[in-house]
Amino acid sequence: MVHRFPTLATAAPDADLAALDAIVAGNRPAFDELYRRYYPRLMDFLGRIVNQRELAEEVVNDTMYTVWTAGASFARRSKVSTWIFGIAYKKTLKRLERDRRMVTETLDENHNFAADTDLVAELDLVKLRGTLDRAMTQLSPAHRSVVELTYLMDYSYEEIAEIVGCPVNTVKTRMFHARARLRRVLTALIGK
């Protein structure tokens, strides 16, 4: 299948910057293109933090509305993706704080396993994923997001610091505590 628009993985940072510049100038097709590029990754990231599709969609839409209305505020000190994920992260934390609830994470029912895996390996993968999902729910949103941004989104600590709005050393500290907590929780879960 040929994609009309580049995916986030294939889009160069220059393409994001060009799209943002066009958005600032009021170019709706540029916004639509950027929205299509970022929607899947933002949904994946936010869905893992809040585990409610509707809430994640609301935050993605709020985030992209901010990109549309406040694109001129992008200071060009980071990548456009870092700026967008930072907006999404902050909006998510505000929403969780406002709602005063922690949402638990579960295994995605639509998880697509590789076609060549045998049933035993597939079941082991489901069990492992479920165990990891349960362990991740034991982390605070701040710790969970650092783990997600590092291991699933492949951001550097410097980029994560920009996204979450804290010093790099704070990101490292959060990662240290997140790993320690995951180690304890996984040991307890696997021991069951």
Side-chain angles (χ1 to χ4, degrees), residues 88-171:
Y89 175 77
K90 290 171 186 120
K91 286 188 175 296
T92 301
L93 289 185
K94 284 182 183 178
R95 180 66 185 261
L96 288 174
E97 184 178 311
R98 189 183 83 203
D99 293 347
R100 294 180 188 210
R101 65 177 185 244
M102 293 288 293
V103 181
T104 59
E105 219 173 331
T106 59
L107 179 64
D108 180 6
E109 294 175 16
N110 298 321
H111 186 74
N112 184 17
F113 297 100
D116 61 343
T117 61
D118 63 70
L119 183 58
V120 173
E122 190 172 315
L123 291 173
D124 286 343
L125 185 57
V126 169
K127 183 178 178 183
L128 176 62
R129 177 65 191 259
T131 302
L132 185 56
D133 285 345
R134 283 190 303 280
M136 289 291 286
T137 66
Q138 301 299 311
L139 299 179
S140 69
H143 289 151
R144 189 170 44 232
S145 61
V146 169
V147 171
E148 297 280 345
L149 288 167
T150 301
Y151 293 109
L152 296 177
M153 305 292 189
D154 203 30
Y155 279 104
S156 69
Y157 285 166
E158 291 77 15
E159 291 169 321
I160 294 169
E162 180 76 25
I163 289 169
V164 301
C166 68
V168 173
N169 284 338
T170 302
V171 171

